[in-house]
Amino acid sequence: RRSEQRKEEILQQAQTPTVVVLLHELTEYEGDWSILPALPHLFATYGQLASWFIFVEEETRLRLAALLRVFIMFVFSKEWFLGRGLHDDGASIIHHYAFSEDPSSFTYPDPSAGWAVSKPLLKRLAVRLQHESLKSDFTIDLHHEIALYVWEEGNGPKLTAVPEFCSQMRDNCATSFTTFLPDCGEPVPKTDVFVAVKTCHKFHHDRVPVVRATWEKDAGFLEFYSDVSDSSIPTISLGVPNTERGHCGKTFAIMRRFLSGAVPRADWLLIVDDDTLVSLSRLRMLLRCYDSREAVSLGERYGYGLLHKGYSYTTGGGGMVLSRVAVSRLMSSGCSCHSDDAPDDMVIGRCFTSLGVPITHSPLFHQARPDDYSGKLISSQQAISFHKHWNVDPLAVYKHWLKDDLPRDEL
């Protein structure tokens, strides 16, 4: 709905021939969100018509007249990669520690400000994509990976920073951004969200106390699921042993319990790790934008094998949000874990792909720590989650990035 609104706004401004394509409608393939798989189709369909291709988020506002003035400054017969530049502040695990000796030496586009490529660059990328595979099967941080692919280890252009590509509106901006947390009305009630925290015995005394000291108080319903029962917390054992790798067996047991009469009935299920930090008040605001009567899977979206018709999934560490309808469809489909230690988030994503349930992305969920993201990017967000306690003070992270002085429904 938001992208349809944006499309209409753009076309109303158009004084020259302008085509607006919604990626989720481009082809039958849900993985077009990762853009690279869609480039050959985009070039084949629109390459004879357009000199420039710009990619924006559904909350990015365009001023077409100003954008055209930007494009006039660049010779469109050359390869150009334009946008608002971001760079890592330090070596980042989500970027596989690329450019760790000098993180600021490589820039990648801020998705909220939009980014553009000239037709010659799009043509070369489209041809290249049809003849070679990506270095990694995983799509983790889309725009960093696109910038790396465009750069091609120095054979392609680096991002050219354009001041008219903006995250906040100024007089000369061709693009600007509103918010990743749109106001869709009153937050859903606390009791509409059931929270499941996955833990294990060895973390009962260091990770669980962090949850209790930070965001647990904002939950309407919350249960800790462990490999042992501990009445002092309390934790619930689901009869699934702890595993060092994935937690598929435990997560599927949680979903079965969510649908049973053993817990209070709620419209939404949030599944997190015991080292996930969450703003439940912001999550409840975001959930008002979605219909719990539909099959919804929401969180930070990653991809696996997307160049070859793979599947998307919601990262477990950032928090997986599922509507009751989605959980019900999944559990009645026959999809299951091939082992207890299979990666739960990937298995669920593969199941939803086979069921035709889309994975809905929000960049407010984070699989890693604040330090692993560009400060320029996350400082403009109202984050919903961060993950991992490694080399950080989780209480300080929660207080700085996630804690609201007042509950959102009292602001």
Side-chain angles (χ1 to χ4, degrees):
R1 290 195 295 269
R2 307 293 280 199
S3 59
E4 288 282 1
Q5 292 171 4
R6 200 64 64 239
K7 177 178 180 177
E8 184 177 337
E9 289 175 8
I10 294 169
L11 291 176
Q12 285 175 350
Q13 299 179 54
Q15 300 296 318
T16 57
T18 302
V19 177
V20 181
V21 175
L22 305 183
L23 276 176
H24 68 278
E25 296 179 350
L26 183 64
T27 69
E28 294 289 319
Y29 182 42
E30 185 269 342
D32 282 342
W33 66 265
S34 62
I35 297 177
L36 289 179
L39 294 186
H41 180 85
L42 285 173
F43 181 74
T45 307
Y46 304 106
Q48 299 303 314
L49 304 173
S51 300
W52 292 93
F53 293 76
I54 180 167
F55 298 84
V56 298
E57 303 293 304
E58 62 265 24
E59 298 293 337
T60 305
R61 302 296 178 102
L62 290 186
R63 295 166 65 186
L64 276 186
L67 185 63
L68 290 173
R69 289 195 292 271
V70 169
F71 289 151
I72 288 170
M73 295 188 294
F74 298 90
V75 179
F76 69 84
S77 59
K78 294 184 178 181
E79 292 190 358
W80 292 104
F81 180 32
L82 311 178
R84 176 179 186 257
L86 301 174
H87 63 77
D88 291 342
D89 302 315
S92 172
I93 188 173
I94 62 171
H95 298 153
H96 306 291
Y97 300 108
F99 307 98
S100 57
E101 293 183 1
D102 183 8
S104 64
S105 66
F106 185 77
T107 56
Y108 49 98
D110 179 347
S112 64
W115 53 278
V117 297
S118 59
K119 178 163 66 175
L121 177 56
L122 182 71
K123 179 180 179 180
R124 183 168 67 82
L125 296 176
V127 171
R128 186 176 159 210
L129 283 160
Q130 291 174 311
H131 293 92
E132 69 175 49
S133 298
L134 299 180
K135 289 185 176 180
S136 172
D137 288 328
F138 289 90
T139 300
I140 293 176
D141 190 334
L142 174 62
H143 293 88
H144 188 273
E145 291 157 18
I146 286 174
L148 281 175
Y149 194 77
V150 170
W151 179 59
E152 199 181 352
E153 298 183 348
N155 295 313
K158 281 191 172 184
L159 181 74
T160 297
V162 177
E164 291 83 2
F165 283 58
C166 308
S167 59
Q168 295 179 334
M169 177 54 74
R170 300 190 304 272
D171 289 342
N172 66 333
C173 286
T175 69
S176 61
F177 191 70
T178 50
T179 177
F180 284 117
L181 190 59
D183 183 0
C184 299
E186 289 296 312
V188 302
K190 285 184 177 183
T191 51
D192 279 1
V193 183
F194 186 92
V195 183
V197 182
K198 296 180 296 181
T199 187
C200 63
H201 184 255
K202 68 178 179 179
F203 294 132
H204 284 189
H205 299 295
D206 53 0
R207 293 185 180 179
V208 169
V210 173
V211 177
R212 309 208 76 168
T214 54
W215 58 272
E216 182 192 24
K217 62 184 180 299
D218 295 326
F221 304 123
L222 181 147
E223 288 186 339
F224 291 94
Y225 298 103
S226 182
D227 51 339
V228 297
S229 296
D230 184 341
S231 59
S232 67
I233 294 176
T235 63
I236 295 169
S237 172
L238 297 168
V240 179
N242 187 53
T243 52
E244 291 297 325
R245 296 169 57 217
H247 305 107
C248 195
K250 180 182 289 185
T251 298
F252 270 69
I254 288 170
M255 290 190 291
R256 285 192 293 270
R257 180 173 172 84
F258 175 71
L259 294 177
S260 74
V263 299
R265 184 180 178 87
D267 292 337
W268 299 97
L269 171 64
L270 168 64
I271 304 175
V272 296
D273 294 343
D274 52 10
D275 58 347
T276 304
L277 298 168
V278 185
S279 170
L280 289 177
S281 58
R282 295 175 191 171
L283 173 61
R284 288 167 45 223
M285 284 189 70
L286 183 62
L287 287 180
R288 179 57 71 193
C289 300
Y290 298 93
D291 188 345
S292 63
R293 295 168 297 181
E294 298 177 356
V296 179
S297 172
L298 174 67
E300 182 182 29
R301 180 175 53 193
Y302 281 8
Y304 179 75
L306 294 182
L307 206 58
H308 304 288
K309 305 301 180 184
Y311 59 91
S312 308
Y313 61 97
T314 298
T315 62
M320 297 183 286
V321 183
L322 303 171
S323 65
R324 174 172 289 274
V325 174
V327 177
S328 180
R329 282 190 61 182
L330 177 63
M331 300 309 292
S332 62
S333 70
C335 270
S336 61
C337 308
H338 57 80
S339 64
D340 282 343
D341 68 347
D344 50 353
D345 48 7
M346 296 183 71
V347 170
I348 291 171
R350 192 182 68 233
C351 290
F352 279 142
T353 297
S354 68
L355 294 170
V357 175
I359 306 298
T360 302
H361 175 67
S362 169
L364 302 181
F365 297 79
H366 300 89
Q367 173 70 10
R369 308 162 305 160
D371 291 349
D372 293 310
Y373 301 88
S374 166
K376 196 174 175 181
L377 179 66
I378 63 171
S379 62
S380 64
Q381 297 179 348
Q382 291 176 285
I384 285 176
S385 70
F386 288 104
H387 180 224
K388 296 187 185 301
H389 295 175
W390 180 68
N391 278 2
V392 296
D393 177 353
L395 298 177
V397 169
Y398 177 79
K399 182 177 180 180
H400 181 77
W401 292 103
L402 299 168
K403 185 177 185 295
D404 293 317
D405 294 331
L406 291 172
R408 283 272 152 176
D409 43 7
E410 294 180 18
L411 291 177

